[in-house]
Amino acid sequence: MKLVPSLVRQGVKSQAAALSESDKRLIDVCSASPDAALSGLDSSRDGLSIELAEAVRKRYGFNALTKKEKKFFVFDIIGRFKNPLAIQLLVIGGISLWMGDVRSAVVVGGMVLLSVILSYVQETRSGKAVEELQKMVQSNTLVIRGGKETEIPTVELVPGDVVVLQAGAIIPADLRVISAKDFFLSQSALTGESMPIEKTAELAGEPPKSVIELPNACFQGSYVVSGTARGVAVNTGERTYLGSISAKLSGEKTQTSFDRGIEGFTWLMIKFMVVMVSLVFLIVGLTKHNWLDALVFAMSVAVGLTPEMLPMILTVNLSKGALVMSKKKVIVKRLSSIQNFGAIDILCTDKTGTITQDRIVLEKFVDVTNRPSDDVLRYAYMNSYYQTGLRNLLDRSILSHTDLDVERSCSKVDEIPFDFQRKRMSVIIEYEGSHVMITKGSVEDIYSACGSYQLDDEVLPLIDVIKRDLMEEYERLSKNGYRVLAVAYKEFPKDKTVFSTKDEEDLVLLGYLAFFDPPKDSSAKALAALGRMGVAVKILTGDNELVTQKICGDVGLDAKNVITGGQLTGLDEAALGKAAEEHTVFARLSPAQKEQIISSLQKAGHVVGYMGDGINDAPALNLADVGISVDTAVDVAKESADIILLEKSLMVLEDGIIEGRRVFGNIVKYIKMGASSNFGNMFSVVGGSYFLPFLPMAPIQILMNNLLYDISQTGIPMDNVDDEYIAKPKKWNIDNIKKFMLFIGPMSSIFDYATYFLMLYFFGCIAFKTGGPNGPYLEKLFHTGWFVESLLTQTFIVYIIRTKKIPFLQSVPAMPMVFTTVLVILVGIFLPYSRFSDKFGFVPLPAVYWLWMTGFMLAYAVLTHGMKVWFYKKFGDD
């Protein structure tokens, strides 16, 4: 699941009133001691045995929220007959059977069966392939089973499992905390509260107002900000607090731009179908005086106008795109995000690991006079060693720089986790008979909390002159691309054991550390390539503006006008939107400000991608049109993302964006084909129904024509896409599709009417009016002639519509598409001469007909190509 934005903002309120059985169960477990809670769940601190865990899973099922269960394949196929199109076809078949036309009923039934089975096979094959890909980035949970730490897929977690939790981990179920150390959670997805909340193993002092306020319970959907803990799973799957909410919200899925685009096209087709079917029914009924035939014909026309292959084309296209992207180290978690991926025109990302090498090296550890200081390194090492929050790259660099046996000389007492307001974190250790707070963080925020500094063994007041000198050195290092952290300390009496942020004052400044993370050699090239593709890259970072400006400038980004989080604070919506548009590099941002920038860009009409891998990136990943993370990211970032990169690189991102555009291009091809073809058929059928002495085509022939045409389009997902098309972002533009339909569609009607008059006057079908023994033959000859022309022209014209260029000469189609279209054209030519032609009401066509048809197809191709060229010059292809 993608972590939901605050459920409070979606109108789901605290369940303070009626408690569910699951809530009561959780409250009962949380009211017992940790050992009693474990015992009540048939567990222990060594966790469940493997055999018992399997037995519990069979009882409670998998740990998954409300989800469509897989059906036995027979029931899945039967369920597809409930599709409105299949029902429509079955009704036509039923009416044909009632009228005594067993042949038509059998053919229609066969068409339904073929359509359903083809859809099932294609979608099942694609679905299995995508599931295998998604398993590569599935969420895992660390549990204790049989006394050993074991990593299992989160869906296999069961009540009674003992879960091991650390910073960055997502809470996999509703848990009762059984042990904790400085353990802070973010429950913002459930409550809307952004500040971390501490959880302990202690019993609640007073009954909570609602289950969400239990101080020793952790809820699925929240995540660990800092600290460590162990908890026993109480409720899993749909029985969790989040599960109960998800069930209520299951019908309120947020639509992506892809969903909205498909919905817009579908409604456009429905409107045209309703108008046309109504007109055909009335015209045929009034002119032919047989309302039952009029009904059957109108329903057949409705089927012919419905792009019933759209769901399969979409599924195959998206699945194929996901498979291709996986070979380029891009894993798609949500198929519908592929189109948004290709439509990105602004990519927001941090600089670390994307434009830098992600190999931070500790270059300097010095005192306030810029002399190397082992004390600074030792204190920084103890801070990084004892902190239980997620160790970032700076902490890892400190710990890898030296190896100190700190546990021999000191022990941890307490911890004050990092937050984005203070921009520092502290650990308190017992050291040489005192409790010492060691604080590490941003230079400005450490300096502001210091009242003195240490030089050798002497502690001196931190006067303004010293501060200015220190800031000048800090700025010099930052301008050279160094990331700088300050280190300070404060001693407390040994009897003080509980600490808070209020204790972070009057600190003694010890010195600072300087780190260097050089730019990647490929960054400038990747940024230039994204720029050529129409993707603007904006850097959103928490680092200071000087180091950000240096690094960004080195890779070719416009870093002259860096704007900071402080400058953004207090701006109204309009001013913030202007700043988001005009600036490329943003520094000293809080997570909330990253969200604000993304939201402002979205309101301005941009499709925004956000790339992040940290705990603080989760809100922005949720908000962005496409959330992008990496497989080495913390759990909460991976869970919030739509796309997972197997390599943290802008070059990999570029490949994924290209494939997203290719997928979208092929989907639009089918949609433009279906829209223009159906609109052209509307003119042809309505006119023919009015002035022809018989129906333009028999209902069964319309159905056969529609089926063959749909088969010809199944090669589109494998088709090539012009380089020019994927050179810039593409968005859904239903208005453009509507215009394309209005201008290109009537081209086919010109040749439909030409075929009408060819068959009526050149081949003598007009003689049908005089009656006589040749009447039925002439009617069948007309039907055959128009069936073949209609099928061949609309199948062949895909080569014109699939590209803005000259077909074959400047743009070559893929062989799978050539195969399906040529196959259908050959079947269309063969049918009138086959042994079963009379089953469909066909008769052999005269040889001269094919000369006329060759001329029609050439003229149709030239005319449509000319109209297409004019259309794209006039309206563009966006």
Side-chain angles (χ1 to χ4, degrees):
M1 66 167 185
K2 183 167 183 175
L3 288 181
V4 293
S6 171
L7 295 172
V8 171
R9 294 198 295 268
Q10 294 189 28
V12 179
K13 298 183 179 179
S14 175
Q15 298 177 353
L19 293 174
S20 66
E21 290 301 316
S22 297
D23 292 340
K24 293 176 182 177
R25 170 184 164 95
L26 182 61
I27 291 173
D28 288 343
V29 172
C30 289
S31 299
S33 68
D35 289 326
L38 287 165
S39 177
L41 292 165
D42 296 325
S43 186
S44 69
R45 292 184 184 270
D46 288 334
L48 300 173
S49 66
I50 295 174
E51 296 76 17
L52 182 56
E54 180 61 24
V56 175
R57 188 188 64 75
K58 288 180 180 179
R59 178 183 176 187
Y60 288 99
F62 286 103
N63 179 34
L65 299 182
T66 305
K67 191 175 182 180
K68 185 178 179 181
E69 295 183 2
K70 289 186 178 180
K71 301 177 182 177
F72 181 56
F73 80 96
V74 173
F75 297 119
D76 192 358
I77 292 175
I78 292 173
R80 292 171 186 268
F81 284 94
K82 297 177 182 178
N83 179 285
L85 175 68
I87 293 173
Q88 197 172 14
L89 286 168
L90 291 172
V91 170
I92 292 172
I95 293 175
S96 299
L97 189 63
W98 177 67
M99 295 175 65
D101 189 354
V102 177
R103 181 185 57 188
S104 293
V106 170
V107 171
V108 170
M111 289 176 63
V112 175
L113 190 61
L114 179 62
S115 174
V116 165
I117 291 177
L118 182 63
S119 171
Y120 170 79
V121 170
Q122 289 279 21
E123 292 185 21
T124 301
R125 183 185 301 165
S126 299
K128 286 181 178 178
V130 172
E131 283 180 12
E132 289 302 313
L133 290 178
Q134 292 175 342
K135 285 179 182 178
M136 296 173 65
V137 292
Q138 71 178 356
S139 177
N140 293 322
T141 298
L142 189 63
V143 301
I144 307 293
R145 282 194 177 170
K148 297 179 180 179
E149 290 191 0
T150 306
E151 195 172 72
I152 63 170
T154 300
V155 295
E156 295 181 7
L157 189 75
V158 298
D161 264 325
V162 175
V163 181
V164 180
L165 299 166
Q166 57 187 358
I170 292 176
I171 304 301
D174 288 354
L175 312 176
R176 197 281 190 214
V177 179
I178 58 174
S179 66
K181 179 61 178 174
D182 304 316
F183 187 57
F184 288 80
L185 293 182
S186 171
Q187 295 186 161
S188 57
L190 301 173
T191 65
E193 174 57 54
S194 60
M195 293 301 293
I197 298 171
E198 186 171 15
K199 297 287 185 175
T200 69
E202 303 299 322
L203 297 176
E206 297 180 2
K209 295 179 181 178
S210 69
V211 67
I212 197 72
E213 295 179 8
L214 286 167
N216 53 2
C218 305
F219 297 90
Q220 184 179 35
S222 52
Y223 61 89
V224 184
V225 175
S226 64
T228 58
R230 292 190 178 189
V232 59
V234 181
N235 295 322
T236 58
E238 296 178 24
R239 291 172 295 278
T240 63
Y241 181 83
L242 181 62
S244 65
I245 294 173
S246 296
K248 296 175 184 178
L249 297 178
S250 58
E252 303 176 18
K253 295 178 181 178
T254 302
Q255 283 191 321
T256 65
S257 67
F258 179 82
D259 298 325
R260 291 191 294 271
I262 293 297
E263 183 180 30
F265 169 70
T266 302
W267 278 108
L268 178 64
M269 288 293 95
I270 289 173
K271 290 173 184 176
F272 277 108
M273 185 181 71
V274 169
V275 171
M276 182 178 176
V277 170
S278 301
L279 282 173
V280 167
F281 175 67
L282 291 173
I283 290 171
V284 172
L286 293 171
T287 58
K288 311 300 185 290
H289 309 294
N290 188 327
W291 291 98
L292 193 56
D293 281 351
L295 177 63
V296 174
F297 183 70
M299 293 182 70
S300 300
V301 168
V303 173
L305 289 175
T306 305
E308 62 269 27
M309 297 298 283
L310 181 60
M312 192 196 76
I313 293 288
L314 290 177
T315 301
V316 174
N317 244 314
L318 295 172
S319 301
K320 174 181 173 289
L323 290 170
V324 172
M325 290 165 75
S326 70
K327 296 175 183 177
K328 298 180 179 180
K329 302 181 180 180
V330 179
I331 304 299
V332 179
K333 287 180 61 184
R334 275 167 283 278
L335 287 181
S336 61
S337 66
I338 291 179
Q339 185 269 322
N340 276 352
F341 199 25
I344 289 173
D345 61 339
I346 291 181
L347 173 67
C348 297
T349 178
D350 194 356
K351 61 180 178 59
T352 304
T354 50
I355 64 174
T356 66
Q357 294 182 12
D358 212 11
R359 292 200 304 267
I360 294 179
V361 179
L362 176 59
E363 297 271 349
K364 300 179 71 173
F365 39 94
V366 296
D367 62 18
V368 293
T369 61
N370 204 23
R371 295 179 303 172
S373 170
D374 289 337
D375 285 342
V376 171
L377 178 60
R378 185 169 65 254
Y379 273 61
Y381 187 96
M382 289 190 287
N383 178 282
S384 296
Y385 182 86
Y386 282 116
Q387 67 112 344
T388 56
L390 191 71
R391 284 176 179 161
N392 58 30
L393 292 171
L394 302 179
D395 290 310
R396 294 173 194 168
S397 178
I398 293 168
L399 295 173
S400 64
H401 190 85
T402 187
D403 186 15
L404 302 178
D405 189 6
V406 296
E407 293 190 2
R408 291 182 60 183
S409 57
C410 57
S411 60
K412 184 178 176 182
V413 177
D414 202 357
E415 177 178 350
I416 306 173
F418 177 88
D419 66 58
F420 285 90
Q421 283 70 45
R422 294 162 37 247
K423 293 186 179 178
R424 57 181 179 252
M425 69 84 51
S426 299
V427 297
I428 296 87
I429 61 172
E430 184 178 334
Y431 183 60
E432 295 182 350
S434 300
H435 284 174
V436 181
M437 173 186 285
I438 304 173
T439 305
K440 177 175 93 265
S442 73
V443 172
E444 296 94 330
D445 291 280
I446 293 292
Y447 285 2
S448 66
C450 290
S452 55
Y453 69 95
Q454 179 172 317
L455 188 60
D456 295 327
D457 293 327
E458 191 173 0
V459 177
L460 303 168
L462 186 60
I463 59 177
D464 290 341
V465 174
I466 299 295
K467 277 189 178 181
R468 281 197 297 270
D469 289 342
L470 291 172
M471 288 302 295
E472 286 175 4
E473 176 61 15
Y474 160 61
E475 290 175 1
R476 185 188 69 80
L477 287 169
S478 296
K479 286 178 180 178
N480 287 321
Y482 286 92
R483 298 174 67 177
V484 184
L485 294 181
V487 180
Y489 74 94
K490 184 179 180 179
E491 295 184 357
F492 293 88
K494 196 172 180 179
D495 58 358
K496 181 175 174 61
T497 57
V498 178
F499 295 82
S500 70
T501 57
K502 294 179 181 179
D503 294 307
E504 293 178 330
E505 59 181 13
D506 293 327
L507 304 181
V508 178
L509 179 63
L510 194 60
Y512 55 87
L513 310 138
F515 305 82
F516 190 63
D517 185 15
K520 290 180 180 176
D521 295 335
S522 62
S523 292
K525 180 181 176 182
L527 289 168
L530 288 171
R532 289 192 298 271
M533 293 168 59
V535 180
V537 177
K538 293 183 183 288
I539 301 298
L540 277 55
T541 180
D543 278 351
N544 75 69
E545 63 274 22
L546 298 174
V547 64
T548 302
Q549 190 173 44
K550 165 65 176 172
I551 296 295
C552 292
D554 286 348
V555 298
L557 285 171
D558 180 12
K560 293 179 181 178
N561 297 313
V562 178
I563 189 167
T564 66
Q567 292 171 288
L568 295 176
T569 302
L571 293 182
D572 59 28
E573 187 173 328
L576 180 62
K578 184 178 180 183
E581 284 275 6
E582 294 179 351
H583 290 79
T584 300
V585 181
F586 302 78
R588 297 184 187 276
L589 296 180
S590 68
Q593 288 175 322
K594 292 181 180 181
E595 284 187 273
Q596 291 168 358
I597 291 170
I598 292 172
S599 179
S600 295
L601 292 170
Q602 289 172 326
K603 289 175 183 176
H606 295 288
V607 178
V608 183
Y610 181 80
M611 185 172 174
D613 60 359
I615 296 174
N616 59 304
D617 291 314
L621 287 166
N622 267 306
L623 180 62
D625 295 291
V626 184
I628 306 162
S629 194
V630 292
D631 65 334
T632 56
V634 297
D635 288 346
V636 65
K638 288 194 290 186
E639 200 69 22
S640 300
D642 303 291
I643 303 285
I644 302 292
L645 306 183
L646 300 183
E647 180 182 322
K648 195 174 182 181
S649 166
L650 292 177
M651 299 296 286
V652 172
L653 202 61
E654 177 193 353
D655 291 337
I657 290 173
I658 289 173
E659 189 58 35
R661 293 179 184 177
R662 183 174 288 116
V663 168
F664 182 61
N666 281 333
I667 290 173
V668 171
K669 282 178 193 176
Y670 176 80
I671 287 175
K672 285 185 173 179
M673 275 296 302
S676 58
S677 175
N678 288 351
F679 188 66
N681 286 339
M682 183 177 77
F683 278 112
S684 304
V685 173
V686 170
S689 299
Y690 176 72
F691 75 82
L692 289 173
F694 41 70
L695 294 176
M697 200 184 294
I700 194 171
Q701 293 168 344
I702 289 178
L703 297 172
M704 176 60 72
N705 186 298
N706 185 54
L707 177 65
L708 289 173
Y709 170 72
D710 283 340
I711 290 173
S712 75
Q713 304 303 293
T714 57
I716 286 180
M718 280 70 76
D719 191 26
N720 302 323
V721 178
D722 295 339
D723 290 339
E724 290 80 0
Y725 186 87
I726 60 178
K728 59 180 182 177
K730 299 293 180 183
K731 301 178 185 178
W732 278 109
N733 190 336
I734 296 301
D735 187 58
N736 186 272
I737 292 174
K738 187 187 298 183
K739 289 175 182 175
F740 188 90
M741 177 182 70
L742 293 173
F743 284 97
I744 301 297
M747 297 297 100
S748 67
S749 296
I750 293 173
F751 294 92
D752 285 339
Y753 281 104
T755 302
Y756 286 172
F757 289 104
L758 177 73
M759 302 308 296
L760 286 172
Y761 296 104
F762 185 84
F763 289 106
C765 295
I766 192 68
F768 172 87
K769 288 185 176 180
T770 62
N774 286 333
Y777 168 78
L778 293 174
E779 183 179 358
K780 288 182 179 181
L781 181 63
F782 182 96
H783 288 164
T784 306
W786 188 44
F787 173 89
V788 172
E789 181 272 340
S790 175
L791 179 63
L792 266 57
T793 52
Q794 69 177 342
T795 301
F796 176 75
I797 209 64
V798 68
Y799 294 114
I800 308 296
I801 291 176
R802 63 171 290 278
T803 176
K804 292 171 64 177
K805 301 178 179 180
I806 300 175
F808 297 103
L809 298 179
Q810 296 177 333
S811 178
V812 180
M815 286 309 297
M817 200 184 85
V818 173
F819 175 78
T820 56
T821 51
V822 170
L823 176 64
V824 167
I825 287 174
L826 291 175
V827 170
I829 294 171
F830 169 73
L831 274 175
Y833 307 98
S834 65
R835 287 184 300 174
F836 43 85
S837 61
D838 60 318
K839 304 292 184 184
F840 298 100
F842 297 134
V843 294
L845 291 163
V848 71
Y849 170 89
W850 299 108
L851 292 176
W852 281 99
M853 198 49 48
T854 302
F856 279 5
M857 290 181 69
L858 288 174
Y860 183 27
V862 172
L863 184 63
T864 306
H865 178 71
M867 177 60 74
K868 174 192 70 177
V869 171
W870 172 86
F871 177 87
Y872 286 129
K873 284 183 179 178
K874 176 76 173 177
F875 301 107
D877 63 345
D878 293 331

